[in-house]
């Protein structure tokens, strides 16, 4: 496959398939596939659910959500494993994308603080004047941080926000480059367990997310282009069915069984992975379905961040479509 400019920052290629078979090709763009927000994709790859649907998946793993979305918009990928907010932001910019499956109903991030700061930082208000890390400026983690700060009466301009990446967050915090920040799973729970960080808010926990954000928060899932839906609707159904089956697997299996089901190169330290999955079980959207209340909370955070400031709020309902999820649940005979 010819790699356009959008794929120059490619960091990993996954090409799972069944020996001797050639299914319908589908290209998938991931953003940090090892994040637990993408666990349904991990399970679908490990259990070959895409191949069960007659597909031959080829995946590219990018270092950020923005780059995987660029690959989708540019036509280098048919689907992106990414957050609904990217479809909404694209709509604001006059580009149409559709979120067709929801991996998570909670963000799967946490506000981590370096353990060395325990005596000084005791609340969100204490982050004023501090160096606080996010995966990227304007990224989903930045939107979340901004929303949390405002909800706690802190003007985001009083906090020094810097980009430190996702997988490189822990070294940045533990090395003193930042004193706090938004860490994704499995990195958040690993730092807490290791004792190098403590939590000011765990957005993998349903109760804490309700208290901090005011409700559920639609996050990662599957996004595609309208022309893929128009020209290859059966492909969309097959991809979504594979992911819904993976969601059901996660809902009904133990963390140990889940760890055994995903590609082992994504697991790393098995004991750590199992505990991270255990800590994150509440984040996953039942059957891959979007809940309107979770969309409402997301939209409030984007509004607070200023995403709609210039062009106004777009037609949010046009950015997601759950008909493929409903059909998959019916075909799979899920309760």
């Amino acid at each position: 496959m010819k790699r356009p400019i959008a794929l120059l920052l490619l960091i990993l290629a996954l090409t799972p398939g069944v020996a001797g078979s050639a299914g319908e090709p589908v290209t998938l763009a991931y953003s940090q596939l090892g994040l637990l927000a993408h666990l349904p994709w991990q399970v679908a790859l490990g259990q070959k659910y895409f191949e069960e649907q007659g597909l031959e998946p080829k995946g590219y793993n990018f270092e950020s959500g923005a780059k995987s979305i660029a690959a989708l918009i540019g036509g280098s990928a048919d689907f992106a494993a990414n957050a609904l907010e990217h479809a909404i932001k694209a709509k604001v910019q006059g580009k149409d994308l559709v979120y067709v499956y929801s991996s998570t109903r909670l963000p799967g991030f946490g506000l981590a603080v370096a353990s060395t700061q325990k005596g000084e930082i005791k609340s969100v208000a204490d982050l004023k004047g501090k160096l606080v890390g996010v995966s990227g400026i304007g990224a989903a983690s930045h939107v979340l941080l901004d929303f949390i700060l405002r909800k706690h009466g802190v003007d985001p301009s009083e906090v020094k926000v810097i980009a430190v990446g996702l997988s490189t967050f822990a070294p940045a915090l533990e090395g003193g480059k930042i004193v706090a920040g938004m860490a994704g799973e499995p990195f958040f729970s690993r730092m807490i367990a290791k004792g190098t960080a403590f939590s000011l808010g765990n957005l993998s926990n349903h109760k804490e997310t309700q208290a901090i954000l005011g409700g559920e928060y639609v996050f990662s899932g599957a996004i595609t282009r309208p022309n893929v839906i128009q020209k290859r609707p059966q492909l969309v159904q097959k991809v979504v069915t594979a992911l819904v089956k993976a969601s059901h697997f996660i809902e009904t299996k133990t963390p140990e069984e889940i760890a055994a089901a995903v590609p082992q190169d994504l697991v790393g330290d098995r004991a750590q992975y199992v505990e991270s999955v255990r800590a994150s079980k509440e984040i996953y959207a039942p059957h891959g379905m979007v809940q309107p209340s979770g969309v409402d909370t997301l939209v409030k955070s984007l509004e607070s961040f200023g995403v709609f400031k210039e062009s106004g709020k777009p037609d949010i309902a046009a950015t997601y479509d759950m008909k493929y999820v409903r059909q998959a649940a019916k075909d799979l005979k899920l309760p």
Side-chain angles (χ1 to χ4, degrees):
M1 172 182 172
K2 185 177 180 181
R3 299 180 185 180
I5 293 175
L7 294 180
L8 284 178
L9 292 173
L10 172 69
I11 61 172
L12 175 69
L14 295 175
T15 55
V18 177
S21 68
E24 180 181 5
V26 59
T27 306
L28 311 171
Y30 313 114
S31 55
Q32 295 277 346
L33 181 58
L35 286 174
L36 288 185
H38 301 320
L39 184 57
W41 296 86
Q42 297 177 26
V43 169
L45 288 168
Q47 295 301 289
K48 299 196 179 297
Y49 290 160
F50 294 117
E51 287 85 350
E52 279 184 10
Q53 294 295 317
L55 301 175
E56 184 180 355
K58 184 171 186 179
Y60 294 91
N61 193 28
F62 294 87
E63 63 187 26
S64 71
K67 291 181 174 65
S68 69
I69 284 293
L72 177 64
I73 291 174
S76 301
D78 302 309
F79 293 84
N82 222 315
L84 172 59
E85 76 170 61
H86 284 285
I88 295 173
K89 287 176 178 177
K91 190 75 171 175
V92 170
Q93 297 167 3
K95 300 168 185 174
D96 290 331
L97 295 176
V98 185
Y99 184 85
V100 292
Y101 158 85
S102 182
S103 298
T104 59
R105 59 177 180 165
L106 305 178
F109 274 77
L111 180 49
V113 182
S115 294
T116 56
Q117 302 293 313
K118 260 188 178 174
E120 189 172 348
I121 299 176
K122 298 178 181 179
S123 70
V124 173
D126 295 328
L127 294 177
K128 290 180 182 179
K130 305 294 186 183
L131 279 169
V132 181
V134 295
S135 60
I137 300 302
S141 58
H142 191 186
V143 172
L144 278 167
L145 174 65
D146 186 274
F147 196 46
I148 291 170
L149 291 172
R150 291 180 192 276
K151 275 191 161 286
H152 286 81
V154 179
D155 186 335
S157 66
E158 296 181 284
V159 176
K160 300 172 184 176
V161 180
I162 64 171
V164 296
L166 283 165
S167 60
T168 50
F169 180 94
L173 187 77
E174 294 165 357
K177 185 176 181 180
I178 55 175
V179 299
M182 300 302 300
E185 289 289 6
F187 310 113
F188 176 75
S189 61
R190 285 179 182 175
M191 288 186 295
I192 301 299
K194 190 178 173 184
T196 57
F198 65 94
S199 174
L200 276 185
N202 181 2
L203 302 183
S204 292
N205 179 281
H206 194 271
K207 187 175 180 180
E208 284 195 53
T209 302
Q210 288 275 357
I212 296 166
L213 302 181
E216 292 187 359
Y217 191 99
V218 175
F219 201 69
S220 189
I223 303 175
T224 190
R225 298 185 306 277
N227 69 327
V228 175
I229 293 173
Q230 292 160 6
K231 295 177 181 178
R232 303 170 74 187
Q234 290 307 310
L235 171 69
V236 179
Q237 187 61 67
K238 290 174 182 178
V239 169
V240 172
T241 298
L243 291 169
V244 170
K245 186 171 183 179
S247 285
H248 183 64
F249 184 97
I250 293 166
E251 290 169 40
T252 56
K253 301 298 182 181
T254 66
E256 289 80 8
E257 289 171 320
I258 292 168
V262 306
Q264 292 306 292
D265 59 337
L266 296 175
V267 173
D269 184 300
R270 191 173 187 279
Q272 283 189 344
Y273 187 90
V274 166
E275 289 311 308
S276 295
V277 169
R278 197 184 312 280
S280 304
K281 282 278 276 184
E282 293 185 4
I283 76 172
Y284 302 105
H287 295 358
M289 182 65 70
V290 160
Q291 294 300 323
S293 62
V295 177
D296 290 343
T297 310
L298 168 62
V299 171
K300 286 176 186 174
S301 74
L302 294 173
E303 201 159 22
S304 174
F305 197 69
V307 171
F308 311 135
K309 197 171 182 180
E310 294 182 7
S311 58
K313 190 186 299 183
D315 179 5
I316 303 297
T319 63
Y320 66 97
D321 186 350
M322 291 293 102
K323 70 181 179 184
Y324 298 101
V325 169
R326 286 190 288 271
Q327 185 61 49
K330 183 178 177 182
D331 293 343
L332 294 168
K333 296 180 172 57
L334 300 182

